[in-house]
Amino acid sequence: MKGCEGFKRFIDVLRGRIREYLPSEDVLGERSEGHARWINVSIGESELIMVYRETDTVKEFMIRSEVTDSAIVGSLERIGLKDVASIMAKWGYVPRSVTVSYVVPSKALYLLIEGVRGRVPTVRVSVRGNSYEASASYCVISESENVCAYLRELITVLSELRECVITYTL
């Protein structure tokens, strides 16, 4: 699939190859427990936690910070979610965490973007088959902000990503 080239890195991440996209000097520590692996990363002045979980039914990647941090957006670009990062930057939303989950049996892809109450909406997007659903913790439509348009753009990117994940992850 030609359109999947932009998602190649993230598909590798869902295969468990996150370390390939992290310079060793950025990695502060790493630990594994059960089906999960935690990687503490330093990016500039920021410290982030990346978590990768994999079972037979779910593949999940999360990146988070204790506070909202623009380093998350840069990290999303680094691991192959440039389109998601671009949408966040376009609308001016800097999240506290981003989680992408792929459920193998249902071929559903989920995105959770944790915001900050009153400043950045928490967003949930799910794409399954030909259906999708998106919601935000608040809705604003003004000259400078349109949460519904933000959700619509995320749905478009997640729909494309889901097709690539189905094609190349398994």
Side-chain angles (χ1 to χ4, degrees), residues 74-135:
S75 295
L76 291 174
E77 291 177 359
R78 181 183 285 180
I79 61 151
L81 291 176
K82 181 182 178 203
D83 293 339
V84 172
S86 295
I87 294 168
M88 287 179 190
K90 173 185 173 184
W91 293 101
Y93 295 131
V94 177
R96 181 176 292 157
S97 72
V98 175
T99 305
V100 179
S101 303
Y102 177 64
V103 180
V104 178
S106 65
K107 296 181 181 176
L109 190 66
Y110 296 90
L111 171 68
L112 174 63
I113 301 170
E114 180 186 9
V116 177
R117 188 178 177 118
R119 290 189 310 145
V120 178
T122 293
V123 170
R124 293 165 194 82
V125 179
S126 65
V127 180
R128 300 179 286 291
N130 292 328
S131 67
Y132 58 84
E133 185 176 324
S135 63

Side-chain angles (χ1 to χ4, degrees), residues 22 26 41-48 50 63 71 74-75 78:
L22 299 174
D26 290 351
V41 180
S42 174
I43 297 177
E45 301 287 318
S46 302
E47 286 191 23
L48 306 174
M50 296 183 180
I63 183 168
S75 295
R78 181 183 285 180

Side-chain angles (χ1 to χ4, degrees), residues 12-30:
D12 283 347
V13 168
L14 281 182
R15 291 178 178 153
R17 298 197 300 241
I18 180 66
R19 286 297 302 267
E20 292 178 25
Y21 302 105
L22 299 174
S24 57
E25 63 269 11
D26 290 351
V27 176
L28 300 174
E30 183 174 353

Side-chain angles (χ1 to χ4, degrees), residues 3 6-7 80-88 109 111 125 127 150-165:
F7 296 121
L81 291 176
K82 181 182 178 203
D83 293 339
V84 172
S86 295
I87 294 168
M88 287 179 190
L109 190 66
L111 171 68
V125 179
V127 180
Y150 175 55
L151 294 175
R152 186 175 321 281
E153 289 181 29
L154 289 171
I155 288 168
T156 300
V157 169
L158 265 281
S159 295
E160 294 169 10
L161 176 58
R162 178 184 170 270
E163 292 303 316
C164 296
V165 168

Side-chain angles (χ1 to χ4, degrees), residues 29-75:
E30 183 174 353
R31 70 181 171 93
S32 296
E33 187 175 307
H35 297 286
R37 184 170 53 174
W38 288 264
I39 304 170
N40 293 2
V41 180
S42 174
I43 297 177
E45 301 287 318
S46 302
E47 286 191 23
L48 306 174
I49 299 170
M50 296 183 180
V51 181
Y52 173 74
R53 292 183 181 96
E54 180 180 22
T55 66
D56 292 339
T57 57
V58 177
K59 297 176 183 292
E60 181 176 82
F61 174 78
M62 177 179 63
I63 183 168
R64 68 182 169 100
S65 175
E66 294 302 315
V67 295
T68 58
D69 198 323
S70 60
I72 289 177
V73 176
S75 295

